[in-house]
Short mmCIF file of all heavy atoms in Angstrom, two decimals:
data_model
loop_
_atom_site.label_atom_id
_atom_site.label_comp_id
_atom_site.label_asym_id
_atom_site.label_seq_id
_atom_site.Cartn_x
_atom_site.Cartn_y
_atom_site.Cartn_z
N PHE A 187 16.43 18.27 0.74
CA PHE A 187 15.90 19.09 1.72
C PHE A 187 16.41 18.51 3.09
O PHE A 187 15.91 17.44 3.45
CB PHE A 187 14.40 19.14 1.61
CG PHE A 187 13.82 19.74 0.35
CD1 PHE A 187 13.96 18.99 -0.79
CD2 PHE A 187 13.29 21.05 0.45
CE1 PHE A 187 13.43 19.52 -1.95
CE2 PHE A 187 12.83 21.59 -0.79
CZ PHE A 187 12.85 20.80 -1.97
N MET A 188 17.32 19.22 3.73
CA MET A 188 17.95 18.63 4.91
C MET A 188 18.55 19.67 5.91
O MET A 188 18.55 20.92 5.49
CB MET A 188 19.15 17.71 4.46
CG MET A 188 20.18 18.42 3.61
SD MET A 188 21.27 17.42 2.79
CE MET A 188 22.03 16.38 4.09
N GLY A 189 18.97 19.22 7.06
CA GLY A 189 19.52 20.18 7.99
C GLY A 189 20.86 20.73 7.46
O GLY A 189 21.69 20.05 7.04
N ALA A 190 20.97 22.07 7.66
CA ALA A 190 22.15 22.73 7.15
C ALA A 190 23.22 22.68 8.21
O ALA A 190 23.32 23.61 9.05
CB ALA A 190 21.85 24.17 6.72
N GLU A 191 23.99 21.62 8.22
CA GLU A 191 25.03 21.35 9.24
C GLU A 191 26.41 21.80 8.67
O GLU A 191 26.73 21.38 7.58
CB GLU A 191 25.08 19.89 9.67
CG GLU A 191 24.45 19.66 11.04
CD GLU A 191 25.19 20.32 12.11
OE1 GLU A 191 26.39 20.07 12.23
OE2 GLU A 191 24.49 21.03 12.88
N PRO A 192 27.31 22.39 9.46
CA PRO A 192 28.61 22.82 9.01
C PRO A 192 29.46 21.55 8.53
O PRO A 192 30.27 21.65 7.67
CB PRO A 192 29.26 23.45 10.23
CG PRO A 192 28.08 24.09 10.95
CD PRO A 192 26.99 23.07 10.78
N ALA A 193 29.21 20.50 9.24
CA ALA A 193 29.93 19.22 8.89
C ALA A 193 29.71 18.72 7.45
O ALA A 193 30.43 17.99 6.89
CB ALA A 193 29.62 18.11 9.86
N ARG A 194 28.52 19.16 6.89
CA ARG A 194 28.23 18.78 5.58
C ARG A 194 28.47 19.79 4.51
O ARG A 194 28.34 19.60 3.29
CB ARG A 194 26.65 18.45 5.48
CG ARG A 194 26.31 17.33 6.43
CD ARG A 194 24.75 17.25 6.55
NE ARG A 194 24.37 16.19 7.45
CZ ARG A 194 23.19 16.12 8.01
NH1 ARG A 194 22.38 16.98 7.85
NH2 ARG A 194 22.85 15.02 8.81
N ALA A 195 28.91 21.03 4.91
CA ALA A 195 28.90 22.19 4.00
C ALA A 195 30.08 22.11 3.09
O ALA A 195 30.02 22.83 1.91
CB ALA A 195 29.09 23.48 4.84
N GLY A 196 31.07 21.32 3.24
CA GLY A 196 32.15 21.16 2.33
C GLY A 196 31.79 20.60 0.99
O GLY A 196 32.28 20.99 -0.03
N ARG A 197 30.78 19.74 0.92
CA ARG A 197 30.36 19.13 -0.29
C ARG A 197 28.95 19.57 -0.74
O ARG A 197 28.58 19.16 -1.93
CB ARG A 197 30.29 17.53 -0.14
CG ARG A 197 31.65 16.87 0.12
CD ARG A 197 31.62 15.43 -0.12
NE ARG A 197 30.42 14.73 0.39
CZ ARG A 197 30.43 14.06 1.49
NH1 ARG A 197 31.45 14.19 2.34
NH2 ARG A 197 29.29 13.53 1.95
N ILE A 198 28.35 20.28 0.08
CA ILE A 198 26.95 20.63 -0.23
C ILE A 198 26.71 22.23 -0.11
O ILE A 198 27.18 22.76 0.86
CB ILE A 198 25.94 19.85 0.67
CG1 ILE A 198 26.18 18.38 0.54
CG2 ILE A 198 24.53 20.27 0.42
CD1 ILE A 198 25.43 17.49 1.50
N GLY A 199 26.00 22.74 -0.94
CA GLY A 199 25.59 24.08 -0.84
C GLY A 199 24.21 24.18 -0.20
O GLY A 199 23.20 23.62 -0.79
N PHE A 200 24.07 24.98 0.80
CA PHE A 200 22.77 25.06 1.54
C PHE A 200 22.19 26.48 1.40
O PHE A 200 22.88 27.46 1.65
CB PHE A 200 22.85 24.79 3.06
CG PHE A 200 23.27 23.31 3.43
CD1 PHE A 200 24.63 23.02 3.79
CD2 PHE A 200 22.37 22.40 3.46
CE1 PHE A 200 24.90 21.77 4.13
CE2 PHE A 200 22.58 21.04 3.69
CZ PHE A 200 23.93 20.72 4.03
N THR A 201 20.95 26.53 1.06
CA THR A 201 20.25 27.90 1.19
C THR A 201 20.09 28.23 2.72
O THR A 201 20.31 27.45 3.53
CB THR A 201 18.88 27.72 0.44
OG1 THR A 201 17.99 26.89 1.23
CG2 THR A 201 18.95 27.16 -0.94
N ALA A 202 19.54 29.44 2.83
CA ALA A 202 18.98 29.78 4.21
C ALA A 202 17.87 28.78 4.46
O ALA A 202 17.28 28.16 3.65
CB ALA A 202 18.52 31.22 4.15
N ALA A 203 17.71 28.60 5.77
CA ALA A 203 16.62 27.62 6.13
C ALA A 203 15.27 28.10 5.79
O ALA A 203 14.96 29.30 5.62
CB ALA A 203 16.66 27.50 7.77
N TYR A 204 14.35 27.17 5.45
CA TYR A 204 12.97 27.49 5.12
C TYR A 204 12.03 27.06 6.25
O TYR A 204 11.01 27.71 6.47
CB TYR A 204 12.43 26.91 3.80
CG TYR A 204 12.43 25.34 3.79
CD1 TYR A 204 11.26 24.72 4.03
CD2 TYR A 204 13.58 24.63 3.67
CE1 TYR A 204 11.19 23.29 4.00
CE2 TYR A 204 13.54 23.24 3.60
CZ TYR A 204 12.31 22.58 3.80
OH TYR A 204 12.23 21.19 3.81
N VAL A 205 12.50 26.13 7.11
CA VAL A 205 11.76 25.77 8.38
C VAL A 205 12.74 25.49 9.42
O VAL A 205 13.84 25.22 9.19
CB VAL A 205 10.74 24.55 8.16
CG1 VAL A 205 9.60 24.89 7.28
CG2 VAL A 205 11.42 23.33 7.72
N GLU A 206 12.20 25.57 10.68
CA GLU A 206 13.04 25.24 11.84
C GLU A 206 12.34 24.20 12.63
O GLU A 206 11.10 24.20 12.78
CB GLU A 206 13.31 26.43 12.72
CG GLU A 206 14.18 27.53 12.08
CD GLU A 206 14.33 28.69 13.11
OE1 GLU A 206 13.60 28.80 14.03
OE2 GLU A 206 15.29 29.47 12.87
N ILE A 207 13.10 23.28 13.24
CA ILE A 207 12.46 22.19 14.13
C ILE A 207 13.29 22.16 15.40
O ILE A 207 14.47 21.94 15.37
CB ILE A 207 12.48 20.83 13.44
CG1 ILE A 207 11.91 20.94 12.02
CG2 ILE A 207 11.63 19.89 14.32
CD1 ILE A 207 12.03 19.60 11.22
N GLU A 208 12.66 22.38 16.51
CA GLU A 208 13.35 22.34 17.82
C GLU A 208 13.83 20.95 18.28
O GLU A 208 13.13 19.98 18.08
CB GLU A 208 12.51 22.91 18.93
CG GLU A 208 12.20 24.40 18.77
CD GLU A 208 11.49 24.99 19.98
OE1 GLU A 208 10.90 24.18 20.74
OE2 GLU A 208 11.59 26.19 20.19
N ALA A 209 14.97 20.89 18.84
CA ALA A 209 15.57 19.65 19.27
C ALA A 209 15.82 19.83 20.87
O ALA A 209 16.26 20.88 21.31
CB ALA A 209 16.92 19.38 18.65
N THR A 210 15.42 18.74 21.56
CA THR A 210 15.59 18.81 23.01
C THR A 210 15.79 17.37 23.48
O THR A 210 16.27 16.48 22.71
CB THR A 210 14.31 19.47 23.67
OG1 THR A 210 14.54 19.52 25.09
CG2 THR A 210 13.01 18.77 23.39
N TYR A 211 15.42 17.07 24.80
CA TYR A 211 15.75 15.69 25.32
C TYR A 211 14.51 15.19 26.08
O TYR A 211 13.72 15.93 26.63
CB TYR A 211 16.95 15.81 26.41
CG TYR A 211 18.25 16.38 25.86
CD1 TYR A 211 18.56 17.61 26.11
CD2 TYR A 211 19.15 15.57 25.20
CE1 TYR A 211 19.88 18.14 25.81
CE2 TYR A 211 20.31 15.99 24.88
CZ TYR A 211 20.71 17.32 25.11
OH TYR A 211 21.93 17.76 24.68
N LEU A 212 14.43 13.84 26.13
CA LEU A 212 13.63 13.09 26.99
C LEU A 212 14.45 12.61 28.25
O LEU A 212 15.55 12.08 27.83
CB LEU A 212 12.84 11.97 26.39
CG LEU A 212 11.51 12.25 25.61
CD1 LEU A 212 11.07 10.89 24.97
CD2 LEU A 212 10.50 12.87 26.58
N VAL A 213 13.87 12.60 29.38
CA VAL A 213 14.62 11.95 30.48
C VAL A 213 13.57 11.27 31.28
O VAL A 213 12.32 11.50 31.16
CB VAL A 213 15.29 12.97 31.42
CG1 VAL A 213 16.38 13.75 30.65
CG2 VAL A 213 14.41 14.02 32.06
N ARG A 214 13.98 10.42 32.26
CA ARG A 214 13.00 9.72 33.07
C ARG A 214 12.48 10.74 34.19
O ARG A 214 13.21 11.62 34.56
CB ARG A 214 13.67 8.49 33.78
CG ARG A 214 13.85 7.45 32.58
CD ARG A 214 14.62 6.25 33.08
NE ARG A 214 14.77 5.25 32.02
CZ ARG A 214 15.54 5.26 31.02
NH1 ARG A 214 16.43 6.35 30.85
NH2 ARG A 214 15.52 4.31 30.00
N ALA A 215 11.29 10.39 34.73
CA ALA A 215 10.67 11.22 35.69
C ALA A 215 11.48 11.49 36.92
O ALA A 215 11.54 12.68 37.43
CB ALA A 215 9.26 10.67 36.04
#
Side-chain angles (χ1 to χ4, degrees):
F187 296 74
M188 60 194 300
E191 257 295 308
R194 299 169 178 160
R197 299 197 312 267
I198 300 171
F200 293 104
T201 70
Y204 66 99
V205 294
E206 297 180 337
I207 311 173
E208 291 189 341
T210 185
Y211 301 101
L212 274 179
V213 299
R214 289 172 176 79

